[in-house]
């Protein structure tokens, strides 16, 4: 399948979408910190949320709206600077008011609007600023507003994260656009991660949920920065059917697998950008596991390695301490035979069928000095494989998170 990447585009690339952003001054004056992404026509919606039992008010409100409206909706309103988490009844009321105010400005119902917040946990939203910002954002709706929207959701991110693609599905050209934020508190189990996907594909709500779950499982659920699953993780998708394809209603329909492949492509791109932009990171880590007894075993082993503080610190220090990699795989819960493992850093083999090799330290250092460090484990026990992404653990990460509220 051919995928065409659209340069410098994001959530407003698909037909029938616009975005408006505002400088609400939630935490820092003079920067965009509130945005609304809106489908100009009725649409189906789906979402995946944090599995942390401590869930922010925007998560619970969005879940309720999706259920009440049976997967139909029009918009998502985002703010950065305050997570509205651990804020009790007031936080829930504030999140609901955000959706209602946005709905009134857009001309739809409150249940057609979802909400997401990111920032400091345990602080109340400055609602006077938030509500004024929603009005300003709604008034600034623009079909080319995706780039500003991607910046408005950032917190400690160093770069905005967005992508848009075109593909053929069911004989029609379908466009998928997306944006995400995430740099720290990244260990999703569905990171603080917020992501928004828009598409003009016509697809039934239940099938859209299924497609999103599959894409998320292979991408966002395989990235980690620091092992902390946020209270606010939210991944949304809106599909408005403006591409004119026959509505996808079942997994056997023509065009469905192409749509899932495209959805996975954009989610993978964003997940990798998050790993590259990890707080304080100097190196991007890719861990691939092949030959596992099952895909789930491969997933467990791969994510444990990129999530290991010891592995991350070794890579920051350019130390080919490969025993930490095998150790992390061993406690991951994956079922494999340690005496069958082949292990590589770059193209330098560290272990052959479970036996330590005398390897060229200088050659290994060449790979560890790169900005991208790639690790491969061949378990030689089956056909399962998976890839996970992460970053190194640096002194700067501690500095950033030691003063996050200031």
């Amino acid at each position: 399948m051919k995928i065409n990447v659209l340069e410098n585009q994001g959530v407003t690339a698909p037909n029938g979408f616009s975005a408006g952003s505002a400088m609400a001054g939630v935490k820092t004056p003079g920067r965009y910190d509130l945005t609304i992404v809106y489908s100009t026509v009725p649409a189906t919606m789906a979402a995946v949320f944090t599995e942390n039992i401590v869930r922010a008010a925007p998560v619970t409100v969005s879940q309720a709206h999706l259920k009440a409206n049976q997967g139909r909706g029009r918009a998502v309103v985002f703010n950065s600077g305050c997570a509205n988490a651990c804020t009790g009844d007031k936080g829930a009321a504030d999140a609901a008011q955000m959706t209602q105010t946005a709905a009134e400005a857009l001309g739809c119902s409150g249940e057609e609007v979802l909400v997401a917040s990111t920032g400091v946990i345990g602080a109340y939203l400055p609602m006077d600023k938030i509500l004024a910002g929603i009005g300003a954002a709604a008034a600034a709706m623009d079909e080319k507003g995706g780039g500003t929207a991607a910046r408005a959701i950032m917190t400690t991110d160093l770069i905005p994260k967005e992508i848009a693609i075109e593909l053929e599905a069911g004989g029609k050209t379908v466009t998928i656009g997306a944006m995400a934020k995430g740099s720290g508190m990244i260990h999703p189990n569905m990171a603080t991660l917020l992501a928004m996907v828009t598409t003009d594909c016509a697809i039934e709500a239940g099938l859209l949920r299924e497609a999103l779950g599959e894409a998320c499982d292979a991408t966002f659920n395989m990235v980690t920065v620091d092992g902390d699953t946020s209270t606010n993780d939210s991944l949304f998708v809106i599909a408005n059917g403006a591409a004119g394809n026959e509505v996808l209603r079942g997994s056997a329909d023509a065009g469905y697998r192409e749509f899932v492949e495209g959805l996975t492509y954009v989610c993978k791109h964003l997940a990798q950008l998050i790993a590259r932009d990890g707080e304080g990171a100097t190196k991007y880590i890719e861990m691939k596991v092949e030959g596992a007894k099952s895909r789930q075993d491969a997933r467990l082993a791969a994510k444990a390695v990129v999530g290991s503080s010891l592995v991350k610190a070794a890579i920051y220090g350019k130390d080919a301490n490969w025993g930490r990699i095998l150790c992390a795989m061993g406690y991951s819960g994956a079922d494999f035979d340690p005496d069958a493992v082949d292990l590589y850093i770059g193209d330098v083999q560290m272990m052959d069928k479970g036996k330590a090799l005398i390897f060229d330290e200088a050659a290994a250092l060449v790979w560890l000095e790169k900005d991208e460090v790639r690790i491969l484990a061949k378990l030689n026990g089956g056909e399962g494989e998976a890839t996970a992404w992460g970053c190194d653990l640096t002194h700067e990460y501690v500095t950033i998170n030691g003063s996050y509220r200031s």
Side-chain angles (χ1 to χ4, degrees):
M1 187 186 81
K2 181 180 179 181
I3 290 177
N4 179 36
V5 178
L6 305 176
E7 295 294 328
N8 302 314
Q9 295 199 55
V11 291
T12 55
N15 296 311
F17 285 94
S18 61
S21 302
M23 296 181 182
V26 176
K27 182 179 179 182
T28 305
R31 55 150 294 181
Y32 285 103
D33 56 4
L34 188 145
T35 193
I36 303 171
V37 179
Y38 175 62
S39 172
T40 58
V41 296
T44 56
M45 298 184 73
V48 180
F49 299 102
T50 182
E51 291 188 2
N52 193 324
I53 65 170
V54 180
R55 297 183 179 184
V59 170
T60 58
V61 168
S62 292
Q63 288 176 313
H65 284 199
L66 273 174
K67 182 178 181 180
N69 218 32
Q70 298 181 320
R72 303 291 297 177
R74 298 288 290 276
V76 182
V77 55
F78 298 83
N79 76 271
S80 60
C82 177
N84 191 15
C86 305
T87 48
D89 292 342
K90 174 172 171 50
D94 289 346
Q97 188 175 4
M98 288 176 67
T99 66
Q100 187 60 42
T101 300
E104 292 170 359
L106 296 171
C108 60
S109 74
E111 288 180 344
E112 290 182 292
V113 181
L114 307 186
V115 60
S117 301
T118 181
V120 175
I121 295 171
Y124 295 106
L125 291 168
M127 287 303 290
D128 54 341
K129 296 178 180 179
I130 289 285
L131 298 182
I134 289 173
M141 281 292 164
D142 188 344
E143 63 182 13
K144 296 183 179 179
T148 304
R151 293 193 297 275
I153 62 175
M154 293 167 56
T155 51
T156 57
D157 305 63
L158 297 179
I159 58 169
K161 303 169 179 71
E162 59 179 340
I163 185 176
I165 65 170
E166 288 179 340
L167 56 95
E168 292 296 316
K172 296 288 186 178
T173 298
V174 168
T175 305
I176 304 175
M179 67 178 186
K181 64 82 51 183
S183 185
M185 211 178 208
I186 304 293
H187 190 74
N189 199 17
M190 345 177 230
T192 28
L193 181 153
L194 300 180
M196 175 85 240
V197 181
T198 58
T199 180
D200 50 20
C201 182
I203 180 170
E204 187 269 336
L207 192 61
L208 183 62
R209 287 194 300 272
E210 184 178 320
L212 184 65
E214 181 177 337
C216 179
D217 201 39
T219 59
F220 288 115
N221 281 355
M222 294 302 291
V223 64
T224 183
V225 168
D226 48 21
D228 282 288
T229 298
S230 167
T231 56
N232 290 59
D233 290 353
S234 302
L235 166 60
F236 306 95
V237 59
I238 304 180
N240 67 11
N245 62 294
E246 287 289 328
V247 179
L248 300 176
R249 301 185 185 279
S251 58
D253 287 359
Y256 176 67
R257 289 315 310 172
E258 288 83 357
F259 174 72
V260 173
E261 186 175 333
L263 185 60
T264 302
Y265 184 97
V266 299
C267 290
K268 178 180 177 181
H269 177 81
L270 295 175
Q272 290 176 327
L273 285 180
I274 288 168
R276 295 177 190 277
D277 193 32
E279 287 177 342
T282 65
K283 296 183 184 299
Y284 164 83
I285 305 170
E286 180 177 282
M287 175 66 194
K288 185 172 185 179
V289 174
E290 298 178 348
K293 292 181 179 179
S294 69
R295 180 170 175 268
Q296 179 63 10
D297 286 320
R299 285 168 50 83
L300 288 169
K303 196 167 181 182
V305 172
V306 296
S308 164
S309 295
L310 288 176
V311 172
K312 291 154 71 71
I315 289 176
Y316 171 59
K318 305 173 187 176
D319 180 8
N321 193 346
W322 60 265
R324 293 179 175 180
I325 299 170
L326 192 67
C327 176
M329 291 166 56
Y331 64 63
S332 68
D335 181 12
F336 69 97
D337 179 2
D339 292 330
V341 175
D342 299 332
L343 186 63
Y344 301 79
I345 294 178
D347 64 0
V348 179
Q349 188 170 4
M350 307 287 167
M351 174 180 273
D352 178 48
K353 300 299 183 294
K355 296 181 176 59
L357 298 176
I358 298 174
F359 62 91
D360 187 334
E361 292 277 0
L365 182 60
V366 169
W367 286 98
L368 290 168
E369 286 181 332
K370 295 178 181 292
D371 293 338
E372 301 183 0
V373 176
R374 301 183 189 276
I375 305 169
L376 170 64
K378 297 180 179 181
L379 305 188
N380 298 306
E383 301 297 324
E385 63 177 57
T387 304
W389 308 280
C391 60
D392 58 349
L393 181 61
T394 71
H395 301 86
E396 184 62 18
Y397 176 86
V398 178
T399 299
I400 291 169
N401 285 284
S403 57
Y404 184 70
R405 295 199 305 151
S406 59

